[in-house]
Amino acid sequence: MKKQQKYSIVMDMRNNYSVVLRGTSIAVYRSENHGQAGLEDCQDWLAKQPEE
């Protein structure tokens, strides 16, 4: 739950996905994949982050 409060997954106009910090919109991870593969890549990255 805390990850949802801290991070967001966003998509740009070119269908690229990034994980950003909520409130600051600073990208902490950018997927090199596009579309569904990029979304899954970001979700995997978030799943590997430790709970705080």
Side-chain angles (χ1 to χ4, degrees), residues 1-41:
M1 183 69 167
K2 288 187 178 187
K3 288 182 192 180
Q4 291 176 335
Q5 294 172 348
K6 186 173 181 178
Y7 300 109
S8 293
I9 297 176
V10 297
M11 181 184 74
D12 67 11
M13 299 288 278
R14 295 183 180 172
N15 211 18
N16 297 319
Y17 285 87
S18 300
V19 177
V20 299
L21 289 173
R22 286 186 182 261
T24 63
S25 297
I26 295 172
V28 292
Y29 178 77
R30 288 196 170 118
S31 175
E32 293 183 14
N33 298 315
H34 303 286
Q36 185 67 28
L39 175 59
E40 291 171 359
D41 192 25

